[in-house]
Every structure is written in C-alpha cells, then in structure tokens.
Amino acid sequence: MEHKEEKLRRAPSPGNSSDPAPRSDNPPNNDKVESATTREDGKIEIKEEDNWDKLGYSFSSIKKWTILTVIFWVQISMNFNTSIYSNAVEPLTKAFKISGQAARVGQMIYLVSYAFGSELWAPWSEDLGRWPVLQLSLFLVNIWEIPCALAPNYSTIIGFRFLGGLSSAGGSVTLGLIADMWDADDQQYAVAYIVLSSVGGSVIGPIVGAFVQRWLSWHWNFWIQLIFGGVVQLAHFFLVPETRSTILLDREAKKRRKATGENIWGPNELKEKRFSTKEILATWGRPFEMFIREPIVLCLSLLSGFSDALIFTFLESFQPVYEQWNFGTTAQGLAFIPVLIGYFLAWISFFPFFARHNKIRARDPNALQPEARLYWLLYLAPLEAIGLFGFAWTSLGPAYHVHWIAPMIFSMLIGIANYAIYMATIDYMIASYGPYSASATGGNALSRDFLAGIAAMYATPFYTDVGNGHAKFKLEWPTTILACLAIMVTIPIYIFYWKGPYVREKSKFAQTLASDRKDRGGGRVESVGAKAEAGHLEDP
C-alpha cells in the first residue's frame, strides 16, 4: 500500500491533482486573477481579492473554530432528532394502540424527508447566506416539535415529523460553511470535526433516549428535542456570523457606497435574475444527476449509506442482543457508548495523515492526487465486516459463556469503520470534484439519510424473521448477512484508489474542471467558467 501511495504522489492525473496551497490566510497569488472591474453601465463590481480581509477565509483560527464548534452542536442536534425517536416507539404503541411497525414510520419519514430537505435548502444558502437559512431551518425544526409533543393522535406526529425532516438543512449547509472559511486543501481537520458531529448525533440519541424512555412519558422525547434545538439555535444566533463570501461582498459594497459614494456593487446586487426558477431547479437536480451518472459518487455514496443504515439497524438489534444479559432500557442505551468511542478513535486516527499530506503539499502543491485521501480508509473499511462478523457471533449470550463486553468491542470496530467511510468519501469527493463537490457530497448525504430511513422499517422484521428458521442462532444470522454485504460494498474503495484517475478522466464534471484549470493557467478553480455554465454544471 505504501508503494502505491508514493505513486499517487509522483504521478498526478492531468487536471485533477490537488490544488495549490491553502488560501485561508492569504489572498490568491494568480496572475490571471482580475481586480475590480467597471461594467458597461458604469457600475464597479467588487471582487474577492480586493476585500480578502472581509471574507471568512481571513477569520482568525479562534473565530473559525468557535463558529465551527457551534455548527458541530447544530449538526449533533439535527442527527439527534433522527435517532432519539426510536426510544419513543414502544411508548407510542401503548399510547395510540398501534403496532410497533406503524410507530417506526415516524422515524422513517423523518430520515427520508431529511435526505431530500438538506438538498432543497442548499441553493438558498448560496443566494441568501448561510446564517438566515440555518436560522430559519432551526426555527422550523423546533416549531414542528411542539405539535408532536402535544399530538392528540399518531397521524399528527407523522405529519409534523415529515415537516421536521424537510426543514432540516443538514450537511449541505454546514459543509458549505466550511468551504466559506477554508480552502479545499486546508479543510480536512474541519470536515473531520463536522463528520464526527454527524455520526455522533445518531448515537447520542439512543443513549439519552434510553433515560427519557425509562423515566419520562413519550411527550418528553419531543420536548427534549425542542430544548436541545432551542439551545443550539440561540448559540448560532449570537455566536455565528455570516460566512458566505458573496453576501459579505454585497455588504461591503453597500457600506462603501454609503460612506464614500463609490459606484461599487456586490455580486448578488448585479445579478439580473437573482432567483431564477430554472437555476434553482437545476441546482436541486445536480446532486441526483451526479449520483446517477458519476460512478465515484454512486458507489461511494451507497457504501456510506449502507454504513449509516447499520447504525439505525443496530438501534433495533441491540435490544434483543443485550436482553440476553438482562440489560434494561437504560443499560441498552449505554451499550451505544462503545460505538461513540469508535467514532472518537477514528477521528483522531486521521490526524497524522492530514499532517503528512499538508507537509507534502507544502513542498509540492500538485504532488497528491485525490485518491491519496482514500489511503487510510483502505485499512479501516474492513473493520466494518470484521465488526459485524464479530458482533454476530458474540451475540450468543451467556448461555454460551460469552461476556457482554465482546459484542461491544466489535460494535466499536463498526463505529471506527462507519466514521472512516463517511470522512474519507466526503474528503475524496471534495478533492476530486472541486467546485462541483457540493453536488457530489450532496449525493453522499442523500444516500446516508435515505437508506437509514429505510433501515428503520426493515431492521426489526429483519432480526425477528430472518433467523426464525435457525432457532439456535436467530440473532446471529441477520448480522452475518450484513457482514457479507459489507464485504461487497467496500470493494469499490480499492477500485477507486487504484483506478480513480482513469474513472475521473471519463467524467464530464472532472473534464470541465480540468478545462477550466487549463484556461486559468493551472490555477485553482474557485468558480466554473463558461464551459461549465453551458454544460449546466455546478455553480460557484
């Protein structure tokens, strides 16, 4: 593997290698960059390079990480809402006299609508700014918790859970916020931090939910979501400024016109049709287009989605597994702590590779291909199948003299793999698709939330029905099947690591990016040029 990584360093793919050194602290040094320009109508268009100190890239490290820490908790709260609901399933069946499968629709509908909702919010954050869009998203999510908590019937919960998921801006806006403050080659620590919040929220939910289920009524499952969401919304309101560069340039232009009378205007102010229906629909459609047409996006998104679905399958499998050791409701919730530990271990394990890549780019900005970002995943991805096989055959219970710590250890390995898969696939797509990465990672998020939503419905029947023909091992065979699937879905990681440059050469998105790089003399492509626009690709 080490030899291959050296090849990835020495033989970058034309037009697709990693970009020049970070721009987060200094303005770009590119002879082809234009300064403020005067239009035919006499208006002067303000430019990024002339106002670098006003943009998110120039924020101090303390300010950036303060903002990111608030976003970390915002992301945790959104994913917390998806998973804590599982602890309301049993109480809801008793309160509304419904089946357990019907009660799980509330979790499924939230996740599936979340998958599409996060994509629907993205174009608005580009035009209106990250701050107002995220504030509106948080406000709506919190508002929809109230009728759920006070619901007179189960249909009310289903309807407002759907609206809650659809109102969740999710990763599409949070990853965009990272791009506002860090260059693509300087984003890895920030992306890793946010990925930790995304996967972590899904596990914190059942840990907290177990105590809510044990000691409080089902109404409090929703009140807790509202309290958590309200706290993070207030933190976001007071601690997070606007970061979107076009919005900040608009504000600077208005300030200068008022102070000096200059005829200077921001990028959004000069748009003839700022909210074009065609443009918005095209933006909404791009993640789906890339998901279908790009092999890298399709395969790695399905891998990431399958891995996330495992966590929501575990929400159902933990109960019958740990009941064998007489674990009660709260103990079953605490059994998710090893998964959370796995996430932290995986997060920390990426740091040496980030540092190493930064040193390599400092010597030669074009030394690394995007495939180098998959390197550590080659070793961590197999832990998913190993963890599943191990979890399956240590779920035999005390009758076979197996200690309860054994399945927990293997669940920790699954947590390590789940984090690594999400982190590395997102990182690889950012490096591979440049200004198109928003749509590429959008497909990843869509797959994760959608497949997790489906998992909420099949998990319990899967564990109760699949093993019925094998009375001795009815809990072991379902997880073994998942382990076999894990082997198959991880194969594309190795294919893309070795053949990724060839695959990207066949991609119209990567070809357009390479063409724009060539037109700019090999410099970084911050926005797409005329060729990209003509091809209806990604907006800046």
Side-chain angles (χ1 to χ4, degrees):
M1 294 293 185
E2 193 68 31
H3 175 68
K4 173 61 180 174
E5 190 182 33
E6 292 299 314
K7 284 183 67 179
L8 287 174
R9 290 172 54 187
R10 294 186 185 118
S13 175
N16 285 293
S17 62
S18 290
D19 300 313
R23 72 173 187 176
S24 53
D25 297 319
N26 300 297
N29 182 17
N30 190 328
D31 294 337
K32 296 195 175 188
V33 170
E34 299 176 359
S35 297
T37 55
T38 303
R39 292 155 40 106
E40 292 182 359
D41 58 8
K43 293 181 178 179
I44 302 173
E45 181 179 357
I46 197 169
K47 295 287 186 177
E48 279 191 8
E49 57 272 16
D50 297 327
N51 298 272
W52 201 255
D53 60 329
K54 309 296 182 183
L55 304 181
Y57 306 113
S58 66
F59 290 171
S60 68
S61 293
I62 292 177
K63 185 174 183 178
K64 286 182 180 180
W65 284 97
T66 299
I67 293 170
L68 203 63
T69 297
V70 175
I71 298 302
F72 177 95
W73 286 103
V74 168
Q75 192 69 47
I76 282 185
S77 74
M78 289 184 177
N79 287 277
F80 176 87
N81 292 348
T82 67
S83 59
I84 191 175
Y85 178 88
S86 64
N87 292 100
V89 168
E90 185 177 336
L92 288 174
T93 61
K94 297 176 181 177
F96 296 112
K97 303 297 188 288
I98 58 176
S99 68
Q101 199 67 353
R104 292 183 189 93
V105 172
Q107 184 171 23
M108 180 274 292
I109 199 71
Y110 193 95
L111 281 161
V112 171
S113 59
Y114 187 167
F116 292 95
S118 63
E119 302 308 320
L120 297 178
W121 283 98
W124 299 109
S125 75
E126 302 293 329
D127 277 327
L128 299 176
R130 316 292 186 196
W131 191 91
V133 165
L134 203 49
Q135 271 293 307
L136 179 60
S137 170
L138 289 167
F139 175 77
L140 291 175
V141 169
N142 291 335
I143 286 295
W144 304 141
E145 298 293 354
I146 297 174
C148 286
L150 301 175
N153 53 61
Y154 185 58
S155 298
T156 301
I157 292 177
I158 293 295
F160 285 101
R161 286 286 289 179
F162 171 78
L163 292 176
L166 203 62
S167 300
S168 299
S172 60
V173 175
T174 54
L175 285 175
L177 189 142
I178 291 174
D180 293 339
M181 298 189 292
W182 281 277
D183 167 79
D185 283 341
D186 203 27
Q187 284 179 15
Q188 287 176 298
Y189 288 102
V191 171
Y193 190 49
I194 291 301
V195 168
L196 179 64
S197 69
S198 182
V199 296
S202 299
V203 173
I204 292 173
I207 295 173
V208 175
F211 290 89
V212 176
Q213 181 181 351
R214 174 68 178 82
W215 301 107
L216 300 170
S217 71
W218 66 265
H219 305 272
W220 278 95
N221 190 283
F222 301 103
W223 290 130
I224 293 294
Q225 294 177 52
L226 174 60
I227 292 169
F228 193 2
V231 170
V232 297
Q233 183 179 0
L234 286 173
H236 179 268
F237 185 92
F238 290 108
L239 299 176
V240 177
E242 181 57 67
T243 60
R244 175 66 176 160
S245 60
T246 54
I247 302 299
L248 296 178
L249 290 174
D250 286 345
R251 291 179 181 176
E252 179 63 16
K254 290 175 183 177
K255 181 179 178 181
R256 286 167 60 174
R257 284 201 307 271
K258 183 176 181 180
T260 66
E262 289 182 83
N263 190 24
I264 194 163
W265 300 80
N268 288 324
E269 295 178 303
L270 294 173
K271 285 185 178 180
E272 295 181 5
K273 293 183 179 180
R274 185 173 178 184
F275 301 107
S276 166
T277 302
K278 182 179 179 181
E279 183 178 344
I280 290 172
L281 291 175
T283 302
W284 279 343
R286 284 179 197 125
F288 305 99
E289 179 187 1
M290 293 193 75
F291 185 81
I292 294 170
R293 299 182 60 177
E294 292 291 309
I296 291 174
V297 177
L298 175 63
C299 293
L300 295 186
S301 294
L302 289 176
L303 165 64
S304 187
F306 172 78
S307 183
D308 201 45
L310 284 177
I311 299 302
F312 287 88
T313 305
F314 271 3
L315 289 174
E316 304 303 327
S317 69
F318 270 35
Q319 180 178 348
V321 167
Y322 288 108
E323 277 181 346
Q324 298 176 107
W325 288 279
N326 298 317
F327 277 36
T329 300
T330 54
Q332 290 168 23
L334 293 174
F336 283 88
I337 291 177
V339 181
L340 192 61
I341 292 172
Y343 289 158
F344 275 99
L345 292 176
W347 174 50
I348 294 169
S349 76
F350 273 87
F351 291 179
F353 293 90
F354 296 162
R356 181 183 182 188
H357 288 173
N358 287 341
K359 288 180 180 178
I360 293 171
R361 282 192 292 265
R363 294 195 301 267
D364 181 359
N366 297 310
L368 290 172
Q369 291 189 51
E371 285 70 32
R373 302 195 184 199
L374 294 175
Y375 180 72
W376 187 221
L377 183 59
L378 302 180
Y379 297 94
L380 296 187
L383 294 180
E384 184 146 83
I386 293 170
L388 284 166
F389 276 120
F391 184 87
W393 296 101
T394 55
S395 298
L396 294 165
Y400 288 84
H401 307 289
V402 179
H403 195 276
W404 52 261
I405 196 67
M408 289 188 182
I409 291 171
F410 285 106
S411 68
M412 181 181 69
L413 298 183
I414 295 169
I416 292 173
N418 186 38
Y419 175 89
I421 288 167
Y422 194 15
M423 171 58 207
T425 54
I426 289 288
D427 198 26
Y428 178 49
M429 290 176 187
I430 289 172
S432 296
Y433 291 101
Y436 317 125
S437 61
S439 290
T441 56
N444 192 313
L446 175 71
S447 177
R448 288 180 69 86
D449 295 323
F450 184 82
L451 291 179
I454 301 301
M457 297 305 296
Y458 74 67
T460 296
F462 182 65
Y463 272 91
T464 56
D465 298 340
V466 170
N468 273 346
H470 305 273
K472 284 183 64 176
F473 304 118
K474 62 182 180 180
L475 293 176
E476 288 72 27
W477 287 115
T479 307
T480 300
I481 292 172
L482 293 178
C484 293
L485 290 173
I487 294 173
M488 291 188 289
V489 298
T490 53
I491 291 173
I493 296 172
Y494 301 90
I495 295 174
F496 290 129
Y497 183 76
W498 293 90
K499 301 296 182 182
Y502 174 79
V503 175
R504 286 185 286 110
E505 285 175 3
K506 304 299 180 182
S507 164
K508 76 165 187 174
F509 293 92
Q511 286 174 348
T512 305
L513 178 59
S515 177
D516 276 341
R517 275 201 178 111
K518 184 178 179 181
D519 291 344
R520 292 169 183 247
R524 177 178 303 285
V525 179
E526 301 301 348
S527 61
V528 294
K531 295 175 183 176
E533 292 174 355
H536 304 292
L537 299 180
E538 184 77 357
D539 289 328

